[in-house]
């Protein structure tokens, strides 16, 4: 049975074009306007940070609860589903030097309490998935924190959440650097090692972002294959990245079509999506786009993904096997490139 792929993105993927070196270049769409784009563009999943759902993640719970219920209603009315909630632990004044791995016990307590509220928000929103992008869980200089204690603190944080809610799943979204010089848990493999140390490894898995793997000097399709073998690829952030520089969040497949093809191939071969997993995107419109044309990166990424699905399905698999057996990789190279050129 061919997979009928479902797509998701987060509200931050429609944005005003600000970057670290310049202010916004186009007006922000209101949240309600962003929601209308989902179905129009062929998406049904919404990825959320906790404070994308509620206006203030530090507000009294009664207010957060009411706002989350209201958001759930907005999604239901539009036939949309929340894919996951990610506690945004990297913007608060308390978490300047990290949240889970901060030296300050008070900050670590804040991080855990806020993460528990994110779990509560997830339950209201109808998802069991909590995404951890450990943005500032690393250092600017090696001596700033105790690196062994830091690893333990990540495990303790996961254990506390797994015990707080017996159904919640934690998906680690690993990235080797940016905003930190080095992250403590830079890759999927590192994270899966930690997952095995938690009180319930069956509820800890991964979300793999193409650009994050590339920034680690790794091939995203091999990273996905590694997680798929562990049955722990529970979401993806497809995008593209031109070499080792800042996280570009380019549209899927626009830099390296063959690398994108291989990601689609590994997902398709493993039946990814058949248990309801979303094809998530984490892409940004170029700063040069006008407001009116600032959702084309989402349209394009989805279209490129689906075109690559066609190409994966029409690839002569028997020929690939034959060339593998004959170890004629030059011929295989040409077969793939010709297939992509069409
Ligand atoms: C950073 C990211 C983040 C995460 C998001 C959800 C802003 O490189 O990829 O996007 O995807 O916070 O975890
Ligand atoms: Mg991401």
């Amino acid at each position: 049975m061919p997979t009928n792929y479902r797509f998701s993105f987060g509200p931050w993927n429609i944005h005003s074009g600000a970057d670290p070196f310049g202010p916004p270049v186009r007006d922000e769409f209101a949240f309600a306007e962003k929601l209308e784009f989902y179905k129009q563009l062929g998406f049904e999943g919404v990825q959320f940070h906790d404070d994308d759902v509620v206006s203030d993640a530090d507000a009294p719970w009664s207010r957060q609860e009411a706002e989350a219920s209201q958001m759930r209603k907005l999604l239901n009315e539009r036939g949309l589903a929340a894919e996951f909630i990610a506690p945004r632990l990297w913007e608060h004044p308390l978490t300047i030097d990290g949240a889970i791995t901060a030296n300050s016990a008070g900050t670590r307590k804040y991080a855990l309490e806020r993460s528990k509220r994110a779990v509560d928000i997830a339950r209201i929103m109808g998802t069991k998935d909590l995404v951890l992008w450990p943005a500032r869980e690393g250092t600017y200089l090696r001596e700033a924190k105790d690196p062994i204690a830091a690893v333990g603190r990540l495990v303790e944080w996961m254990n506390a959440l797994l015990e707080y809610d017996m159904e919640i799943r934690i998906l680690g979204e690993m990235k080797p650097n940016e905003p930190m010089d080095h992250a403590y848990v830079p890759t999927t493999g590192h994270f899966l090692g930690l997952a095995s140390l938690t009180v319930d490894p069956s509820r800890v898995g991964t979300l793999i972002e193409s650009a994050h793997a590339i920034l680690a000097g790794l091939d995203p399709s091999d990273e996905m294959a590694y997680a798929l073998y562990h049955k722990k690829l529970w979401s993806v952030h497809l995008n593209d990245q031109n070499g080792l520089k800042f996280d570009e969040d380019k549209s899927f497949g626009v830099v390296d079509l063959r690398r994108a093809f291989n990601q689609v191939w590994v997902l398709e071969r493993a039946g990814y999506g058949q248990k309801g997993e979303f094809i998530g995107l984490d892409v940004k419109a170029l700063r040069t786009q006008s407001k009116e044309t600032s959702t084309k990166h989402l349209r394009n990424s989805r279209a490129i993904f689906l075109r690559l699905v066609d190409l994966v399905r029409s690839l002569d698999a028997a020929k690939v096997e034959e060339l593998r057996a004959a170890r004629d990789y030059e011929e295989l190279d040409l077969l793939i490139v010709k297939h992509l050129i069409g």
Side-chain angles (χ1 to χ4, degrees):
M1 269 286 283
T3 311
N4 195 6
Y5 289 104
R6 302 196 296 162
F7 296 86
S8 71
F9 67 86
W12 63 90
N13 292 129
I14 301 177
H15 70 114
S16 58
D19 71 13
F21 305 99
V25 288
R26 46 187 181 250
D27 290 339
E28 189 76 57
F29 282 103
F31 188 83
E33 293 177 304
K34 290 186 183 181
L35 272 191
E36 299 307 325
F37 281 117
Y38 278 81
K39 280 283 165 92
Q40 282 173 30
L41 292 163
F43 291 76
E44 53 188 284
V46 187
Q47 310 165 11
F48 285 102
H49 296 109
D50 50 358
D51 57 5
D52 293 321
V53 178
V54 301
S55 54
D56 177 3
D58 294 334
W61 173 244
S62 57
R63 191 171 122 198
Q64 295 192 47
E65 193 177 24
E67 288 179 348
S69 303
Q70 178 57 26
M71 185 64 81
R72 176 77 190 269
K73 195 163 159 278
L74 288 180
L75 294 196
N76 288 350
E77 285 165 3
R78 286 160 183 76
L80 301 172
E83 185 192 2
F84 62 71
I85 307 296
R88 204 194 301 262
L89 297 174
W90 55 92
E91 285 188 1
H92 197 276
L94 278 174
T95 63
I96 284 173
D97 195 21
I100 300 166
T101 64
N103 287 329
S104 150
T107 291
R108 297 198 302 273
K109 185 160 176 280
Y110 170 77
L112 182 57
E113 286 311 310
R114 178 155 172 181
S115 303
K116 286 181 179 171
R117 290 299 79 71
V119 169
D120 299 337
I121 291 171
R123 300 314 299 263
I124 295 175
M125 296 299 289
T127 174
K128 292 175 180 161
D129 287 352
L130 194 78
V131 166
L132 169 67
W133 169 46
R136 296 192 196 275
E137 314 311 336
T139 49
Y140 298 113
L141 53 148
R142 300 292 79 67
E143 300 84 1
K145 293 179 192 167
D146 177 338
I148 300 176
V151 175
R153 281 170 179 156
L154 282 156
V155 177
E156 283 162 26
W157 178 87
M158 287 196 272
N159 283 344
L161 293 177
L162 292 168
E163 281 169 349
Y164 176 68
D165 185 311
M166 298 312 284
E167 288 187 83
I168 206 82
R169 304 196 302 177
I170 298 173
L171 285 66
E173 178 184 350
M174 297 303 122
K175 181 179 180 183
N177 63 289
E178 196 199 31
M180 306 309 282
D181 179 40
H182 281 289
Y184 281 131
V185 184
T187 69
T188 296
H190 287 85
F191 185 72
L192 289 184
L194 281 194
S196 72
L197 298 179
T198 63
V199 291
D200 190 356
S202 73
R203 289 190 286 134
V204 185
T206 61
L207 176 160
I208 293 184
E209 173 160 329
S210 321
H212 295 179
I214 296 162
L215 286 169
L218 300 169
D219 181 83
S221 68
D222 280 350
E223 285 289 274
M224 289 172 189
Y226 184 82
L228 286 164
Y229 183 78
H230 288 79
K231 301 206 181 333
K232 286 196 178 293
L233 188 64
W234 298 342
S235 188
V236 290
H237 268 174
L238 299 185
N239 58 16
D240 214 348
Q241 171 74 26
N242 193 13
L244 301 183
K245 51 184 78 161
F246 65 95
D247 187 357
E248 298 184 297
D249 291 334
K250 282 175 174 265
S251 295
F252 182 56
V254 298
V255 177
D256 187 334
L257 201 53
R258 188 170 178 178
R259 187 168 60 194
F261 170 77
N262 277 298
Q263 290 169 69
V264 177
W265 195 6
V266 81
L267 293 172
E268 170 83 4
R269 189 166 33 191
Y272 177 90
Q274 298 204 349
K275 291 200 191 100
E277 305 95 328
F278 280 96
I279 294 297
L281 302 179
D282 200 356
V283 289
K284 283 203 184 74
L286 298 172
R287 195 165 192 265
T288 40
Q289 291 300 105
S290 66
K291 181 178 182 182
E292 293 67 37
T293 61
S294 67
T295 59
K296 290 192 174 177
H297 59 308
L298 294 160
R299 176 202 68 183
N300 294 355
S301 296
R302 182 179 176 279
I304 292 167
F305 177 88
L306 288 172
R307 180 73 187 108
L308 289 172
V309 170
D310 289 343
L311 288 176
V312 164
R313 289 180 184 167
S314 62
L315 182 67
D316 186 344
K319 188 75 191 166
V320 171
E321 285 313 322
E322 187 190 310
L323 294 173
R324 283 178 179 176
R327 215 213 279 150
D328 191 350
Y329 298 150
E330 293 292 356
E331 200 62 37
L332 181 57
D333 231 3
L334 188 66
L335 178 82
I336 300 295
V337 171
K338 272 186 163 173
H339 194 63
L340 289 175
I341 291 172

